[in-house]
């Protein structure tokens, strides 16, 4: 802390504000005292508890009504909305002069006169951008230029442009510093380099007659939400007033009548653009980015002279002065905001923003910028300096060339990827998963900014298209494909962030991803396909230990409790009826304990002789019995199809679904999977690490037919938990193997020897090991005395010594090698004979 304050003490902590950072945290963000480190302020910043208290007092002391009326309450609400518009437009003036004019909120935020600008409230920045795209006066001669570093919501405007026959083009901005002898006042040299021009087949469009120069649109963000890099706002004047020089070398240099759009959603929280100095035609923003609440409210600031050129088709209540129902007649309202705000304004949300602005005024945007940027620069410097024990770099930063706070080149965002000692990449999902276990909330992926992502990760069009062909889409689990990351890790700071949070994040990175000088790894040395314990530990163990099957457990319904038996029949999909049913939400999602922990309280049992599945829950008075209509090996398929369709008997279906709805407290339905041949390849990419290139017949199990757990491995985990966290042990019972939802529990031998098994024989039945089971947060959910509890354990401890290539492995996945000629059973007490060759 001392070294940090020595470098940033004049900037950090709001020394000149009514409250310093510690007082702000102690009085307005008490909910963060629970150990949560929130580092996704670029996604959404946090609301203040004082802010919410003031909103609640406001709403419970005043009456607000629909502004489309002449009553006193409605008129008062209209006045409040008008005041909010004006304050936002002029707010940027505050950053420049730190003096507040008696203007209203939204206009005030941007230092713009109501004579020049209007504020149109929308449902967010995305809706504001959509409004620009829909109403812009596109023609077949129009041009739409946009920087590579733009959010998808800006790229979506391209669809409107291309649909009208206009051309579109992504550009890169090159900014050179002043050369020797060049006057500093002349500013940096800015060049715009264009990429491929995009056009669509316009043969179906009616050819328009040229009526002078078409209108063109140039769009860029004030701050890139991927890297945090800030764009030079001189672009506004250069594009509008010096187009030919700025676009020199491009096919657009001769085009006139350019309008400029600034996406300020990310940047306006700390450095709002001054619209008096940089008179952009359109500026979009969202309020939750500024002060956390309200969500679902944004604004489009538009120049009044430009608004007259926009072409709006639809009209609604509030946007017309008069209309006649049975003839083609409508007279629209003349004021800009009245023309473009369809329906009733979100007047309660608008009423709430003044309390957010009050908070920001008490700190000032300049102080917020200095505070947050000091934290991001500190983190960047620390990450940049990290080295593995072999001297290799740990972190690759994106867009962080200038680490001086005075440069104003970057916002409070740090984007990076991490490398292993051998130079390969840690997947960003591994970072996110472990960060979550440490109580750190950050963001991973491309952050809806595909251009910046491809640019900084050096992903070619070929890379991007092959990734899509491999199944990669936004928010999936494919974080590294063909040796290249498909996204990055982002941490970002807000006005209430602290040095302690930044330091905790750095400590987390060091403890989780920096390899020490001795190449010990994470407690697992990877040899061939499977993780193994270090060979030095195995040399002293028994050469021929004995293993026995301790228990057999069937889980008929995915994510519900199972039941144990002494013997059970095997079939093509593993244990007969294992995970043959699942519970589905009304929107089609599969429900599991991760989403609905109460599912662990639903107990199950199957009576094979009676052909009944019985289900119980403390929430339901009666036990549920479901006739499964099957013999020991071949469930009838006439009632169910291979796509997990619901029961055909609709009365029975209603009875069953009502029972499960009551049991878990949400609308749902029970689905059954047929045992007909339906093969699943466990690893389409056939990665060599876990050898899952074999096909298996499975029901609703995630990865394989069987999960095997060793009692000795669980005992070793318990010893580590006892040594690590006394508080955890006082609050929780000792783990038993069933916490991990195994089908087979074995006893004998040493911990983790199952990691090395390739095949095994239990009794007369043969199995193939498919590698370790990648554990998730579900093992942190426990059922203790009928109460569902959540914690960070045991996954956090497992992550400290059972990590292999981004996976936290515990237990072994098996496939049954079925013998079609015999009907096989598996029995408790049978000997387990592994083969490690």
């Amino acid at each position: 802390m001392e070294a940090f304050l020595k470098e940033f003490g004049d900037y950090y902590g709001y020394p000149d504000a009514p409250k310093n950072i510690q007082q702000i945290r102690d009085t307005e963000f008490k909910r963060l005292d629970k150990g949560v480190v929130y580092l996704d302020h670029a996604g959404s910043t946090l609301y203040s508890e004082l802010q919410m208290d003031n909103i609640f007092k406001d709403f419970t002391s005043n009456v607000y009504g629909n502004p489309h009326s002449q009553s006193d309450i409605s008129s008062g609400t209209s006045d409040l909305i008008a005041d909010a518009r004006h304050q936002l437009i002029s707010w940027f003036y505050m950053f420049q002069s730190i003096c507040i004019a008696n203007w209203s909120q939204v206009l005030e935020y941007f230092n713009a006169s109501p004579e020049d600008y209007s504020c149109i409230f929308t449902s967010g920045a995305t809706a504001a951008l959509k409004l620009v795209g829909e109403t812009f006066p596109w023609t077949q001669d129009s041009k739409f230029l946009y920087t590579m570093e733009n959010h998808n919501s800006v790229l979506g405007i391209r669809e409107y442009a291309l649909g009208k026959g206009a051309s579109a083009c992504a550009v890169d901005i090159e900014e050179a510093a002043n050369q020797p002898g060049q006057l500093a006042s002349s500013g940096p040299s800015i060049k715009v380099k264009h990429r491929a021009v995009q056009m669509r087949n316009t043969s179906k469009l009616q050819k328009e007659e040229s009526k002078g120069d078409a209108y063109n649109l140039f769009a860029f963000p004030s701050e890139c939400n991927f890297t945090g890099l800030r764009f030079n706002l001189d672009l506004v004047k250069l594009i509008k007033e010096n187009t030919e020089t700025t676009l020199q070398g491009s096919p657009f240099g001769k085009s006139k009548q350019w309008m400029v759009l600034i996406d300020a959603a990310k940047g306006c929280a700390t450095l709002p653009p001054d619209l008096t100095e940089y008179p952009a035609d359109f500026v979009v923003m969202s309020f939750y980015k500024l002060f956390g609440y309200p969500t679902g409210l944004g604004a489009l600031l538009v120049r009044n002279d430009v608004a007259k050129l926009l072409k709006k088709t639809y009209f609604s209540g509030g946007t017309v002065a008069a209309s006649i129902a049975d003839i083609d007649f409508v007279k629209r309202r003349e004021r800009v905001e009245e023309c473009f705000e369809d329906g009733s304004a979100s007047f309660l949300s608008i009423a709430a923003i003044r309390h957010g602005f009050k908070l920001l005024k008490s700190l000032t945007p300049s102080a917020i910028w200095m505070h947050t940027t000091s934290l991001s620069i500190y983190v960047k410097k620390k990450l940049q300096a990290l080295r593995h024990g072999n001297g290799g770099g740990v972190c690759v930063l994106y867009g962080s060339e200038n680490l001086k706070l005075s440069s104003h080149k970057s916002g409070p965002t740090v984007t990076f990827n991490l490398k292993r000692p051998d130079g390969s990449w840690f997947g960003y999902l591994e970072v996110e998963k472990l960060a979550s276990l440490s109580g750190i909330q950050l963001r991973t992926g491309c952050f809806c900014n595909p251009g910046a992502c491809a640019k900084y990760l050096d992903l070619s069009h070929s890379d991007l298209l092959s990734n899509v062909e491999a199944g990669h889409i936004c928010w999936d689990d494919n974080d590294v494909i063909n040796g290249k990351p498909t996204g990055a890790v982002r941490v970002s700071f807000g006005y209430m962030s602290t040095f302690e949070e930044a330091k905790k994040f750095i400590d987390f990175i060091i403890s989780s991803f920096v390899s020490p000088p001795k190449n010990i790894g994470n407690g697992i040395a990877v040899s061939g396909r499977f993780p193994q314990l270090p060979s030095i530990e195995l040399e002293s163990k028994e050469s021929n230990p004995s293993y026995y099957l301790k228990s057999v457990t069937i889980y008929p319904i995915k994510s519900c409790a199972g039941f144990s038996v002494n013997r059970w029949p095997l079939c093509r999909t593993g244990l007969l009826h294992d995970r043959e049913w699942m519970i589905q939400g009304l929107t089609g999602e599969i429900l599991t304990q991760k989403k609905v922990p109460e599912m662990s309280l639903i107990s199950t049992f199957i009576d094979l002789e009676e052909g009944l599945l019985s289900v119980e829950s403390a929430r339901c008075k009666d036990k549920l019995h479901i006739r499964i209509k099957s013999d020991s090996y071949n469930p009838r398929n006439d009632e169910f199809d291979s796509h997990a369709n619901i029961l055909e008997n609709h009365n029975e279906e209603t009875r069953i679904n009502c029972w499960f709805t009551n049991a878990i407290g949400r609308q749902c339905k029970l689905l059954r999977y047929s045992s007909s041949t339906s093969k699943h390849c466990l690893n389409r990419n056939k990665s060599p690490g876990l050898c899952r290139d074999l096909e298996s017949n499975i029901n609703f199990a995630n990865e394989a037919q069987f999960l095997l757990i060793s009692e000795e491995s669980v005992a070793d985990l318990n010893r580590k938990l006892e040594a690590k966290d006394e508080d955890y042990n006082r609050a929780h019972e000792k783990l038993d193997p069933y916490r991990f939802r195994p089908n087979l529990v074995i006893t004998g031998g040493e911990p983790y020897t199952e990691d090395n098994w390739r095949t095994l024989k239990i009794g007369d039945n043969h199995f193939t090991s498919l590698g370790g089971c990648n554990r998730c947060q579900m093992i942190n959910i426990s059922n203790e005395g009928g109460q569902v509890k959540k914690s960070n354990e045991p996954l956090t401890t497992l992550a400290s010594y059972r990590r292999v290539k981004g996976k936290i492995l515990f237990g072994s996945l098996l496939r049954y090698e079925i013998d079609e000629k015999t009907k096989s059973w598996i029995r408790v007490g049978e000997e387990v004979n592994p083969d490690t060759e």
Side-chain angles (χ1 to χ4, degrees):
M1 181 72 169
E2 184 178 346
F4 173 80
L5 291 178
K6 184 176 181 180
E7 182 174 2
F8 298 107
D10 293 338
Y11 309 107
Y12 173 80
Y14 311 109
D16 300 322
K19 292 181 182 179
N20 62 35
I21 183 60
Q22 192 58 52
Q23 292 169 325
I24 291 172
R25 289 296 290 257
D26 290 344
T27 59
E28 301 185 31
F29 293 91
K30 295 187 287 290
R31 65 191 186 277
L32 297 180
D33 294 340
K34 299 176 181 178
V36 175
V37 175
Y38 184 82
L39 297 178
D40 187 26
H41 296 273
S44 171
T45 198
L46 300 177
Y47 54 79
S48 154
E49 289 148 26
L50 177 61
Q51 172 192 355
M52 300 306 292
D53 286 344
N54 290 334
I55 291 171
F56 181 76
K57 290 176 183 177
D58 183 358
F59 286 3
T60 55
S61 303
N62 298 293
V63 178
Y64 298 109
N66 192 316
H68 295 166
S69 178
Q70 298 299 313
S71 69
D72 290 344
I73 289 176
S74 295
S75 296
T77 304
S78 296
D79 292 341
L80 182 145
I81 293 173
D83 185 65
R85 296 185 205 282
H86 296 161
Q87 185 168 348
L88 179 56
I89 291 184
S90 55
W91 171 256
F92 285 113
Y93 178 67
M94 181 181 178
F95 173 69
Q96 299 296 327
S97 64
I98 317 300
C99 104
I100 305 297
N102 190 23
W103 293 351
S104 295
Q105 293 155 332
V106 183
L107 292 174
E108 187 178 322
Y109 193 80
F110 289 85
N111 188 23
S113 167
E115 296 179 0
D116 298 324
Y117 285 89
S118 292
C119 170
I120 301 169
F121 284 115
T122 66
S123 63
T126 293
L129 291 164
K130 183 171 183 283
L131 181 59
V132 173
E134 286 177 336
T135 61
F136 193 84
W138 304 109
T139 69
Q140 293 173 26
D141 295 322
S142 294
K143 315 291 189 297
F144 176 45
L145 266 60
Y146 53 92
T147 57
M148 279 290 288
E149 299 92 334
N150 258 309
H151 195 278
N152 266 325
S153 297
V154 175
L155 301 189
I157 295 176
R158 182 178 63 190
E159 295 300 298
Y160 291 106
L162 295 178
K164 291 289 187 179
S167 57
C169 183
V171 299
D172 295 290
I173 305 299
E174 293 185 351
E175 184 173 335
N178 292 324
Q179 300 300 314
Q182 183 179 357
L183 294 176
S185 59
S186 63
S189 172
I190 298 177
K191 296 294 183 184
V192 178
K193 292 186 62 177
H194 75 282
R195 300 199 176 208
V197 178
Q198 308 157 58
M199 294 190 71
R200 290 197 180 149
N201 187 350
T202 59
S203 59
K204 295 182 180 180
L205 294 175
Q206 183 176 353
K207 188 63 178 176
E208 302 169 342
E209 292 185 13
S210 179
K211 298 180 180 179
D213 289 330
Y215 291 101
N216 308 292
L217 182 63
F218 183 91
F220 72 98
S222 61
E223 181 181 317
C224 174
N225 78 313
F226 187 90
T227 62
L229 283 177
R230 297 186 182 280
F231 281 79
N232 192 322
L233 295 180
D234 287 335
L235 272 169
V236 176
K237 290 184 179 179
L238 291 173
I239 292 294
K240 291 171 69 70
E241 301 171 7
N242 195 12
T243 308
E244 190 167 348
T245 302
T246 307
L247 300 180
Q248 186 176 5
S250 79
F252 313 110
K254 300 295 184 181
S255 301
K256 307 294 183 183
Q257 300 193 124
W258 282 91
M259 300 181 195
V260 177
L261 181 154
I262 298 178
D263 177 6
K266 171 65 178 68
C268 69
T270 51
L271 278 179
D274 181 346
L275 295 185
T276 297
E277 185 173 355
Y278 307 106
D281 299 281
F282 308 98
V283 179
V284 304
M285 52 88 67
S286 289
F287 291 98
Y288 71 95
K289 303 275 189 179
L290 289 177
F291 31 72
Y293 183 88
T295 58
L297 183 68
L300 168 64
L301 276 64
V302 57
R303 288 187 62 85
N304 292 328
D305 55 345
V306 170
K308 298 175 183 178
L309 302 174
L310 301 182
K311 300 178 179 180
K312 187 169 185 288
T313 302
Y314 179 77
F315 70 86
S316 66
T319 64
V320 292
S323 65
I324 300 177
D326 57 348
I327 64 172
D328 183 10
F329 175 83
V330 59
K331 179 176 175 58
R332 299 176 187 266
R333 292 188 179 274
E334 295 183 358
R335 290 176 54 185
V336 174
E337 61 270 15
E338 291 180 334
C339 182
F340 287 93
E341 288 178 358
D342 290 313
S344 297
S346 184
F347 54 87
L348 290 180
S349 292
I350 295 171
I353 67 174
R354 57 179 170 173
H355 301 289
F357 279 123
K358 181 180 179 181
L359 183 152
L360 294 186
K361 288 178 185 178
S362 70
L363 299 176
T364 74
S366 59
I368 293 172
W369 178 81
M370 289 187 288
H371 172 81
T372 55
T373 305
S374 66
L375 293 172
S376 65
I377 292 176
Y378 164 78
V379 168
K380 289 176 183 179
K381 287 183 175 181
K382 289 293 185 181
L383 290 176
Q384 205 169 53
L386 293 178
R387 292 291 182 272
H388 287 296
N390 64 3
V394 174
C395 182
V396 175
L397 293 167
Y398 301 115
S400 297
E401 293 80 9
N402 193 321
L403 297 183
K404 294 181 179 179
L405 191 144
S406 59
S407 70
H408 286 203
K409 292 289 187 182
S410 184
T413 298
V414 185
T415 306
F416 62 94
N417 272 310
L418 300 174
K419 284 194 168 185
R420 304 179 193 275
D422 63 3
S424 62
W425 297 98
F426 285 105
Y428 56 77
L429 287 176
E430 180 178 357
V431 181
E432 184 173 35
K433 183 177 183 178
L434 295 178
S436 182
L437 288 174
S438 299
I440 299 172
Q441 309 303 311
L442 45 74
R443 186 82 173 268
T444 62
C446 279
F447 327 122
C448 297
N449 196 325
C453 190
K455 180 176 180 176
Y456 289 99
L457 300 183
D458 193 27
L459 297 172
S460 66
H461 291 161
S462 175
D463 292 330
L464 297 171
L465 291 173
S466 65
N467 289 350
V468 172
E469 290 172 0
H472 174 52
I473 59 173
C474 296
W475 307 338
D476 69 8
D477 294 340
N478 295 310
D479 51 9
V480 178
I481 298 179
N482 297 324
K484 284 187 174 184
T486 61
V489 183
R490 184 185 76 185
V491 297
S492 49
F493 298 95
Y495 73 84
M496 76 300 295
S497 298
T498 65
F499 167 79
E500 289 76 15
E501 290 176 322
K503 186 177 185 304
K504 182 175 180 179
F505 169 72
I506 292 297
D507 291 344
F508 155 72
I509 293 293
I510 292 172
S511 64
S512 301
F513 298 99
V514 178
S515 175
K518 292 182 180 179
N519 191 19
I520 298 173
N522 290 302
I524 299 176
V526 179
S527 176
R529 300 175 298 166
F530 305 111
Q532 300 178 6
L533 291 174
S535 58
I536 188 172
E537 192 172 329
L538 296 175
E539 290 175 358
S540 62
K541 308 304 179 185
E542 299 177 41
S543 57
N544 294 301
S546 297
Y547 305 93
Y548 295 93
L549 185 61
K550 181 73 175 289
S551 71
V552 176
T553 306
I554 298 92
Y555 304 89
I557 304 174
K558 182 180 178 67
S559 237
C560 294
F563 63 97
S564 296
V565 295
N566 289 323
R567 66 186 195 117
W568 197 257
L570 298 172
C571 65
R572 181 182 295 277
T573 59
L575 292 167
L576 184 64
H577 300 311
D578 185 54
R579 278 161 284 214
E580 195 166 306
W581 289 265
M582 74 170 184
I583 301 175
Q584 184 183 59
L586 288 186
T587 58
E589 77 278 18
I590 298 173
L591 300 183
T592 69
Q593 286 186 35
K594 286 188 285 186
K595 295 180 180 179
V596 189
E598 293 76 14
M599 291 176 68
S600 65
L601 304 178
I602 299 175
S603 62
T604 59
F605 179 76
I606 289 179
D607 186 324
L608 290 178
E609 292 186 1
E610 295 293 329
L612 284 178
L613 165 62
S614 299
V615 190
E616 273 188 287
S617 170
R619 290 186 172 185
C620 298
K621 180 180 178 180
D622 298 320
K623 183 184 292 189
L624 176 68
H625 299 286
I626 303 173
R627 185 159 297 280
I628 57 181
K629 295 184 179 180
S630 67
D631 57 32
S632 297
Y633 292 94
N634 299 299
R636 289 173 55 187
N637 294 327
D638 56 347
E639 194 169 5
F640 312 96
D641 68 20
S642 61
H643 298 288
N645 282 339
I646 58 176
L647 293 156
E648 290 185 355
N649 184 328
H650 295 295
N651 290 332
E652 182 75 350
E653 172 195 336
T654 300
R655 180 181 71 89
I656 291 171
N657 293 341
C658 284
W659 190 95
F660 280 99
T661 294
N662 293 331
I664 67 172
R666 66 167 70 187
Q667 290 287 321
C668 63
K669 57 186 176 182
L670 184 70
L671 301 186
R672 185 180 185 184
Y673 197 86
S674 168
S675 63
S676 61
T677 56
S678 180
K679 294 185 177 180
H680 300 265
C681 183
L682 293 175
N683 182 11
R684 295 178 182 177
N685 295 327
K686 300 186 180 181
S687 56
L690 295 176
C691 189
R692 295 183 185 173
D693 56 348
L694 301 173
E695 289 189 342
S696 296
N697 295 299
I698 59 177
N699 290 329
F700 289 125
N702 286 343
E703 295 185 276
Q705 297 170 340
F706 295 87
L707 171 62
L708 179 145
I709 291 287
S710 159
E711 275 194 332
E712 283 66 30
S713 299
V714 175
D716 182 72
L717 173 58
N718 274 316
R719 287 191 290 270
K720 288 180 167 57
L721 286 168
E722 290 169 4
K724 175 183 177 183
D725 194 335
E726 293 182 3
D727 292 337
Y728 172 82
N729 289 297
R730 281 194 295 267
H732 297 79
E733 300 173 356
K734 183 177 286 190
L735 294 176
D736 65 36
Y738 304 102
R739 179 73 165 268
F740 302 93
R741 298 179 62 80
N743 297 110
L744 308 175
V745 176
I746 62 167
T747 185
E750 297 298 324
Y752 315 113
T753 52
E754 66 272 16
D755 293 339
N756 301 316
W757 298 350
R758 294 173 181 263
T759 62
L760 62 153
K761 183 180 178 183
I762 303 176
D764 294 325
N765 300 301
H766 294 268
F767 300 85
T768 298
S769 175
L770 302 174
C773 179
N774 185 22
R775 310 314 308 218
C776 66
Q777 296 273 5
M778 190 164 161
I779 64 174
N780 290 340
I781 300 170
S782 63
N783 178 359
E784 298 179 13
Q787 296 294 317
V788 176
K789 293 185 178 181
K790 290 184 179 181
S791 72
N792 287 335
E793 295 290 1
L795 194 59
T796 299
T797 296
L798 285 172
S800 69
Y801 75 107
R802 296 288 299 177
R803 263 171 62 210
V804 176
K805 293 291 185 181
K807 300 180 186 297
I808 302 172
L809 302 178
F810 192 73
S812 296
L813 300 173
L814 305 179
R815 187 191 65 196
Y816 171 50
E817 301 299 341
I818 189 169
D819 185 349
E820 301 283 359
K821 298 179 181 178
T822 61
K823 294 184 177 182
S824 299
W825 292 67
I826 192 167
R827 295 170 176 82
V828 171
E830 289 182 323
E831 189 171 358
V832 178
N833 295 295
D835 179 7
T836 60
E837 296 300 323

